Amino acid sequence: MDFKDIIAKLPYSEPFLFVDEILQADENGITGTYTFREDLDFYKGHFKNNPVTPGVILTETMAQIGMVCLGIYLVGNDLQKETVVAFTSADMQFLKPVYPNEKVTVTSQKTFFRFGKLKCDVVMKNEAGQEVCKGIVAGMITTKL
Amino acid sequence: MNKDELIAKLKTIIKPYTTNTDAYDNLTEETDFINDLNINSANLVDIILDIEEAFDIVIDNPEMERMLDVKSAVEIIETKLASK
């Protein structure tokens, strides 16, 4: 599958799409990037006069690249119009702050993908190569819940 | 392993995934994972993977789709163990 096709098949759009580019994908994992533009709406309020990317947004970015994009790649041609993605769990550590205009790279390693559940170990690094966030995400990628 | 032992082993596997302690404490063969124990589909997958590990068996998709209550889980595990 062309990596651009993965992004086209994502069920998200602005302002809730947190994937810019997929760099690599195979049966075992995926790597992708996203840049947190300074005009993203949540920076106005998180925090007042001190914009820092919220942990929930980092978690969402990890899930979109590391779990949903990988899931779309793994499901491949079996992806149907009825296919739904449900984010079912996250266990995250936030190691460093991520500021506006930072570009992050998310790398995900599949733990398992069975019976529609995809579970992954995910790491997010900043442009300096430092780990900013890491954890475990899981979701159901299925035509029925 | 007799059926009571099998259910006891199954019960320890289920414990971390249920939030309904009443239904868990009073678990019988008729107990339904989703409706009685409030287990969602994602945690049901975890339970089935834990069952595979604990009993050293492999569950396939059609079997997984049938494993919605204690009774059918026990039947499937017993069949798998007997064919080993």
Side-chain angles (χ1 to χ4, degrees):
Chain A
M1 186 189 293
D2 191 311
F3 297 158
K4 281 202 178 70
D5 291 346
I6 298 177
I7 295 175
K9 287 178 177 167
L10 283 171
Y12 315 103
S13 67
E14 292 286 338
F16 217 74
L17 171 67
F18 298 107
V19 188
D20 285 334
E21 192 181 10
I22 299 299
L23 302 176
Q24 188 274 334
D26 61 34
E27 281 297 303
N28 300 310
I30 196 164
T31 303
T33 67
Y34 183 70
T35 301
F36 293 98
R37 297 188 326 268
E38 64 182 351
D39 61 350
L40 287 165
D41 202 45
F42 49 74
Y43 286 129
K44 288 180 209 159
H46 189 283
F47 301 97
K48 290 184 204 168
N49 305 314
N50 177 28
V52 180
T53 313
V56 288
I57 298 294
L58 298 179
T59 304
E60 180 65 25
T61 306
M62 303 275 269
Q64 288 193 8
I65 296 174
M67 189 263 289
V68 186
C69 287
L70 179 58
I72 287 171
Y73 177 83
L74 293 175
V75 171
N77 292 333
D78 292 337
L79 194 76
Q80 296 165 28
K81 208 168 58 195
E82 301 79 31
T83 303
V84 292
V85 178
F87 190 11
T88 58
S89 65
D91 182 2
M92 283 291 154
Q93 293 182 55
F94 306 106
L95 307 167
K96 286 182 178 298
V98 177
Y99 297 109
N101 293 322
E102 281 202 53
K103 179 181 182 179
V104 296
T105 301
V106 174
T107 302
S108 170
Q109 287 285 331
K110 179 180 76 178
T111 308
F112 65 77
F113 183 33
R114 291 196 62 198
F115 308 120
K117 179 169 180 173
L118 177 59
K119 188 172 182 182
C120 309
D121 281 314
V122 191
V123 175
M124 177 185 282
K125 290 185 177 178
N126 61 18
E127 280 178 287
Q130 297 167 312
E131 286 188 4
V132 294
C133 183
K134 67 176 177 184
I136 299 165
V137 294
M140 296 297 293
I141 298 167
T142 175
T143 51
K144 55 178 182 295
L145 281 173
Chain B
M1 191 182 298
N2 68 34
K3 189 181 268 186
D4 286 346
E5 288 168 341
L6 200 155
I7 290 174
K9 194 168 172 180
L10 188 59
K11 211 173 157 179
T12 60
I13 292 171
I14 294 166
K15 188 166 191 187
Y17 302 106
T18 180
T19 51
N20 189 336
T21 47
D22 275 356
Y24 177 80
D25 290 340
N26 299 307
L27 182 134
T28 69
E29 277 196 70
E30 305 308 316
T31 303
D32 185 284
F33 293 135
I34 292 166
N35 296 319
D36 296 326
L37 295 175
N38 296 342
I39 291 166
N40 70 12
S41 56
N43 282 337
L44 196 54
V45 175
D46 290 323
I47 289 174
I48 286 163
L49 298 184
D50 289 352
I51 288 172
E52 287 191 329
E53 199 178 335
F55 294 95
D56 191 25
I57 55 176
V58 177
I59 310 282
D60 62 23
N61 274 315
E63 288 160 344
M64 188 272 174
E65 285 169 17
R66 282 205 294 129
M67 285 177 98
L68 298 173
D69 52 45
V70 172
K71 192 177 184 179
S72 51
V74 167
E75 277 171 12
I76 289 164
I77 295 165
E78 280 179 332
T79 310
K80 291 273 168 184
L81 289 176
S83 66
K84 276 220 283 195

